[in-house]
Amino acid sequence: MIEVQNLEKSYNDVKALNDVSFTVKPGEVIGLLGPNGAGKTTLMKILAGFLHPDAGTATVGGYDVLADTGTVQAMIGYLPENAPLYPELSVQAHLRMMADLRGIPAAEQQRKLSAAVHAVGLEERLTRPISTLSKGYRQRVGLAQAILHNPRLLILDEPTNGLDPTQIVEVRHLIRKLAHHGTVMVSTHILSEVEATCDRALILMRGQVKADTRLVDLAASGDVILMLEKTGQEASTPSILSALSSLTTVRAATLDREESDRLVFRIHATTSEDLCPAVYRLAREHDWPLCELKRETHSLETVFNRIAAGVGGVQ
């Protein structure tokens, strides 16, 4: 659905995007994650045809965003951080105006307007002036106008910014529901937002892609944590490390830390296959006093913090 190759964009001496490349498949919900100033909004404006890159290419649905800007914009629904609404209009009047601007034929407008209103839960607010709505409902109006034309790609820039906790949960549910009908890109600097709504995270920092990973792949790494009780009769640490390293799918085994009553080992795998069964059999074979055996898990926060600290991330 999206293919970006070597995008570059600068504002005077500031490099907003630096050699950015990635692809997005149809139907994915991708989170564009990064601190303020990372280049997220610049990237989305390029995809939506509002900005021209200095170098590189970007296509949406197979169409180049520069050569086929009108075609690309017709297949995109875009909700910027501050939804451009007309407060003096009623919800219904505003959405009808947007349908006209989108070029939706009059014969189809009622059906599409009803579908959008139902999707975001605005049925009881149609006759209300937008100025009287809460921020959460104004955000729903912005979402409704973004999906009126059944876009193949929905781009949302900070969709929960400024909302209260209840409104945030409601908008998250809406995003997941809207994802059933197309590809969704959500830009945010809030980690929990990506974890709650997205299938995949693309982390931008200082204009560069620092990580690109599916969230389910973060749930478990190939590493295993083995915790053994100190009994005074346990095998020596070197012999334990030697036995662990002898397993065929183990790249390395290290003593992670030594506590007053326990030894904690970290076992690095050569593949993504779960090492726990093999390590458990080894512990039984050598009669090690096993306290705990688990596959190490990553969180998005862990990956983000590692990248921010310059340690690296998940590609």
Side-chain angles (χ1 to χ4, degrees):
M1 188 62 203
I2 301 173
E3 184 169 356
V4 170
Q5 293 291 331
N6 310 115
L7 273 191
E8 305 265 352
K9 181 65 180 179
S10 296
Y11 300 102
N12 296 322
D13 296 331
V14 178
K15 196 87 166 179
L17 296 177
N18 184 7
D19 196 27
V20 170
S21 298
F22 64 93
T23 60
V24 180
K25 297 178 181 178
E28 280 193 292
V29 183
I30 183 169
L32 195 58
L33 181 64
N36 291 327
K40 304 186 301 296
T41 298
T42 295
L43 175 57
M44 288 187 296
K45 285 182 176 180
I46 289 174
L47 291 176
F50 295 148
L51 278 180
H52 284 195
D54 299 330
T57 62
T59 62
V60 175
Y63 294 94
D64 187 277
V65 297
L66 294 181
D68 305 292
T69 304
T71 302
V72 169
Q73 290 179 338
M75 67 174 70
I76 288 179
Y78 181 36
L79 178 63
E81 182 174 353
N82 297 305
L85 306 175
Y86 290 86
E88 68 276 10
L89 296 180
S90 68
V91 171
Q92 182 172 262
H94 180 82
L95 293 179
R96 286 197 179 279
M97 180 187 69
M98 296 307 299
D100 288 336
L101 292 174
R102 276 288 183 184
I104 299 174
E108 298 179 20
Q109 283 193 15
Q110 186 57 48
R111 176 178 59 82
K112 291 194 172 183
L113 190 147
S114 296
V117 165
H118 177 73
V120 302
L122 280 171
E123 294 94 336
E124 297 181 5
R125 302 294 194 282
L126 281 177
T127 60
R128 295 268 299 272
I130 291 173
S131 61
T132 67
L133 300 179
S134 67
K135 182 158 187 176
Y137 274 101
R138 291 199 300 273
Q139 199 75 333
R140 290 178 186 232
V141 176
L143 281 169
Q145 75 179 26
I147 64 172
L148 265 177
H149 57 302
N150 299 325
R152 293 175 59 191
L153 171 63
L154 181 61
I155 299 177
L156 307 174
D157 191 0
E158 303 286 358
T160 61
N161 185 42
L163 303 185
D164 65 36
T166 300
Q167 294 167 341
I168 288 173
V169 172
E170 290 173 350
V171 171
R172 285 175 178 173
H173 286 315
L174 286 174
I175 292 170
R176 294 302 306 182
K177 185 163 64 173
L178 294 171
H180 294 307
H181 306 289
T183 305
V184 180
M185 175 177 280
V186 180
S187 169
T188 182
H189 61 278
I190 303 172
L191 296 170
S192 58
E193 202 65 47
V194 173
E195 290 179 316
T197 59
C198 300
D199 305 315
R200 177 177 156 205
L202 189 74
I203 299 178
L204 278 181
M205 286 193 179
R206 296 178 292 279
Q208 294 183 308
V209 176
K210 295 295 186 179
D212 183 357
T213 182
R214 290 182 57 80
L215 297 188
V216 292
D217 295 333
L218 286 177
S221 69
D223 293 355
V224 165
I225 302 298
L226 170 68
M227 187 178 294
L228 302 179
E229 183 182 0
K230 282 185 179 181
T231 63
Q233 305 298 319
E234 75 274 4
S236 68
T237 297
S239 65
I240 294 172
L241 291 173
S242 177
L244 291 170
S245 298
S246 69
L247 293 173
T248 56
T249 55
V250 170
R251 175 170 52 84
T254 58
L255 178 64
D256 192 63
R257 64 184 185 276
E258 183 172 354
E259 301 176 354
S260 59
D261 58 346
R262 294 177 182 180
L263 295 170
V264 182
F265 298 89
R266 182 181 298 273
I267 308 156
H268 306 275
T270 57
T271 69
S272 59
E273 183 180 349
D274 189 0
L275 271 175
C276 286
V279 173
Y280 177 73
R281 287 192 295 270
L282 193 66
R284 290 288 302 271
E285 177 185 336
H286 290 275
D287 199 26
W288 295 337
L290 184 62
C291 293
E292 185 176 1
L293 177 63
K294 65 180 181 180
R295 199 172 186 187
E296 188 179 37
T297 58
H298 290 303
S299 68
L300 190 57
E301 181 178 4
T302 301
V303 173
F304 189 88
N305 289 337
R306 283 173 59 85
I307 293 170
V311 177
V314 177
Q315 290 290 342

